[in-house]
Amino acid sequence: MALIVMKFGGTSVADIDRIKNVADHVKREHAAGNKVAVVVSAMAGRTNELVDLVNQATRMADEREYDAVVSSGEQVTSGLLTLCLQDKGVPARSWQGWQIPLQTDEAHGKARISDIIPDDMLTSLDEGNVAVIAGFQGIAPNGRISTLGRGGSDTSAVAIAAALGADLCDIYTDVDGVYTTDPRIVPKAQRLDKISYEEMLEMASLGAKVLQTRSVELAMTQNVRLAVRSSFDDPASVEAVNMQTNSHIGTLVCSEEEIVEQQIVSGIAYAKDEAKVTLVGLADQPGIAAKVFGPLAEANINVDMIVQNVSADGATTDMTFTVAEPDLDRALEVVQEHEDELKFKDLQGATNIVKISIIGVGMRSHAGVAADMFKELSEKGINILAISTSEIKISILIDAAYQELAVRSLHSLFGLDQDDH
Ligand code: ADP
Ligand code: ASP
Ligand code: MG
C-alpha cells in the first residue's frame, strides 16, 4: 500500500467523458489499496477564457480579483471529478486550496507556496477517501485566494506530494512522457525513460511546458519521485501492464546517478515568448551597461540574453537584449525615459524571435558541442542573434521563421531522432 499523488492536466479533464476516464484511473489505484490524492487543472482552454474575461472587464485588474476569477476553473473540475468518483462507488471529497490549507505568499498571480498543513487531508485519506484537490490555487496571508502562475497545477501536485510524504507523484498529461523535444514539432522525437532533475529543470525553464519549472525545482529539493505519463491510456490496460512488469510507464524524473546511459545532449527546448530590444549607437563608455540595466532591474524587468557590438566607428556600440514578451512595452518605456543619459540613436523592439536551447549533463565533460551546433546552423543558413551558455545548456536566439528547421536539424545532429536507434 502506497500513498500516491496523481495530477491531471487540462486536456485530460476537457469534458465529462474524459473526467470519467480520469475517474477510472483513480479508481484503479484506489482499488489496488493505495491512498490517493488527485490534483486537477481546469478544463482545457478554461483558464485562458477566464483571463480573457478579466481583460475585457478592465485594463488594470486588481490582482486579488484576477485570482478570484482565474482560480475558479479548478474548483469546477475538482467537484466534477469527485462526483464521477462517487458515482463509480469510490469515496471521495474535493478540496479547494484554502480548505487544505495550501498557504502561499502574497504575490497574487504568481504566488509561491509557503506551507501546506496536511493534517485534515491525511485524516480523510486514512478513512479511505480519495482527496480531489483543485490545483493552481492557494490562500495568501491576507486571507485571499492566490494562484501559482500558469501551469501551476504541476507545482500544486509536487508540493502536496512532499507535504503528504507521498511515495510517488504521477503527472498525467496528453503525451506519454517527456520527449527529447516537443513531439508536436518533431515527430521523430523520442520518449525518455528517465531524465535528471537538472536537465528537466533546464528543459522546463527554457520552454518545454510539459512541467512547470517550479514543480521540478520543488521535486528536486524535496526529493519527490516525479513521473510524467499519459492519461489517454486505457485504465484497464494500464492495470495489466502495472501488474505484469511492476515498473513504471512514462518518464521518471530522478537524480543523475539513477541514469546509466547518459547522452551528451538529452533534449532540445524552444521558447517563443521572448522579445528583443536593440539600442543603436550608444556611446561606448565605461558604465554604459549599468546605465541601461540598472533602471530595468529597478522596474523588476528580467533581462535574459545580452549582446554588445562595437560599431564601425569604434566610438559607439549597439546593444541587444531580450526580455519576456509581456515585459517588452515596459522595457522600451523604461529605456526611453533614460534617453537623455544614454544618448542612443535609435531604439527598436521586436517579437519575431525564438530561443532554442540544447540541454544535457553530458556537456559538462564534452568539448566542441557549441562548435558543432553553430556549424549546423550556419550550414542551414540560420543567423544567430545572441548566445548564452551554462554548464549543461547552450541557448541561441534566432529569427522565429527558422524555429522548426533549427529544432529539427539540431535534433538530428545530436543523434536524437527515433530511427537513429
Ligand atoms: P497539461 O494540460 O496536462 O498540463 P501541458 O499542455 O501543460 O499539459 O503540457 C503538455 C504539452 O507539453 C504536450 O502536449 C507537448 O506539446 C508539450 N511539450 C513541450 N515540450 C515537450 C517535451 N520535451 N516532451 C513532452 N511534451 C512536451
Ligand atoms: N489551469 C491553470 C493554467 O491553465 C493551471 C494548470 O493548468 O496547471 O495555467
Ligand atoms: Mg501543464
Side-chain angles (χ1 to χ4, degrees), residues 221-298:
T221 54
Q222 304 283 315
N223 253 313
V224 173
R225 266 184 105 72
L226 182 64
V228 176
R229 52 194 295 188
S230 169
S231 70
F232 296 136
D233 293 339
D234 171 28
S237 61
V238 170
E239 189 166 19
V241 174
N242 273 354
M243 275 160 57
Q244 258 172 27
T245 61
N246 203 17
S247 72
H248 216 80
I249 29 188
T251 302
L252 187 67
V253 187
C254 58
S255 69
E256 215 174 300
E257 293 75 49
E258 283 188 60
I259 303 173
V260 186
E261 231 181 292
Q262 201 56 260
Q263 302 283 332
I264 299 174
V265 173
S266 305
I268 301 177
Y270 62 89
K272 289 191 270 199
D273 51 0
E274 299 231 351
K276 183 177 74 160
V277 177
T278 305
L279 287 95
V280 182
L282 270 177
D284 192 11
Q285 316 159 335
I288 195 77
K291 283 188 189 149
V292 175
F293 297 113
L296 289 165
E298 270 163 39

Side-chain angles (χ1 to χ4, degrees), residues 7-12 41 151 154 171-175 177-184 203 207-211 268 270:
K7 180 258 168 177
F8 294 89
T11 22
S12 310
S41 294
D154 296 331
I171 306 287
Y172 287 80
T173 182
D174 55 4
V175 282
V178 177
Y179 279 69
T180 45
T181 192
D182 189 343
R184 293 187 204 287
M203 291 273 281
K209 69 168 187 167
V210 61
L211 288 173
I268 301 177
Y270 62 89

Side-chain angles (χ1 to χ4, degrees), residues 6-26 38-47 49 72-85 132-136 153-154 171-175 229-232:
M6 307 170 82
K7 180 258 168 177
F8 294 89
T11 22
S12 310
V13 293
D15 54 40
I16 292 291
D17 279 344
R18 292 207 179 147
I19 295 178
K20 286 182 177 168
N21 183 60
V22 165
D24 285 333
H25 278 292
V26 174
V38 188
V39 175
V40 285
S41 294
M43 289 171 158
R46 187 63 191 146
T47 311
E49 283 167 23
S72 64
E74 274 73 9
Q75 175 160 348
V76 172
T77 42
S78 61
L80 289 173
L81 176 59
T82 305
L83 292 170
C84 290
L85 283 165
V132 183
I133 299 146
F136 183 51
S153 301
D154 296 331
I171 306 287
Y172 287 80
T173 182
D174 55 4
V175 282
R229 52 194 295 188
S230 169
S231 70
F232 296 136

Side-chain angles (χ1 to χ4, degrees), residues 22-160:
V22 165
D24 285 333
H25 278 292
V26 174
K27 185 176 178 175
R28 174 194 84 220
E29 298 293 355
H30 186 257
N34 298 311
K35 289 184 192 170
V36 188
V38 188
V39 175
V40 285
S41 294
M43 289 171 158
R46 187 63 191 146
T47 311
N48 286 346
E49 283 167 23
L50 293 166
V51 171
D52 203 44
L53 288 174
V54 170
N55 291 336
Q56 285 179 45
T58 171
R59 282 192 54 199
M60 295 286 282
D62 172 341
E63 53 209 1
R64 292 158 298 193
E65 302 309 334
Y66 167 94
D67 277 351
V69 176
V70 302
S71 62
S72 64
E74 274 73 9
Q75 175 160 348
V76 172
T77 42
S78 61
L80 289 173
L81 176 59
T82 305
L83 292 170
C84 290
L85 283 165
Q86 290 173 350
D87 196 52
K88 291 176 188 292
V90 181
R93 71 151 281 191
S94 64
W95 296 82
Q96 305 310 302
W98 63 269
Q99 291 171 323
I100 298 173
L102 185 153
Q103 296 167 343
T104 71
D105 61 15
E106 246 166 65
H108 284 279
K110 49 178 187 308
R112 294 187 83 102
I113 299 173
S114 48
D115 201 8
I116 297 178
I117 300 159
D119 305 21
D120 291 350
M121 204 179 341
L122 278 169
T123 309
S124 179
L125 289 168
D126 283 341
E127 288 165 3
N129 300 305
V130 170
V132 183
I133 299 146
F136 183 51
Q137 48 162 272
I139 179 166
N142 55 7
R144 308 293 302 267
I145 295 173
S146 52
T147 62
L148 307 177
R150 299 304 307 271
S153 301
D154 296 331
T155 303
S156 308
V158 173
I160 284 162

Side-chain angles (χ1 to χ4, degrees), residues 390-408:
S390 80
E391 221 188 0
I392 67 163
K393 72 117 207 265
I394 303 167
S395 299
I396 50 147
L397 195 70
I398 60 169
D399 196 298
Y402 294 107
Q403 177 200 323
E404 288 201 26
L405 178 64
V407 174
R408 289 202 174 129

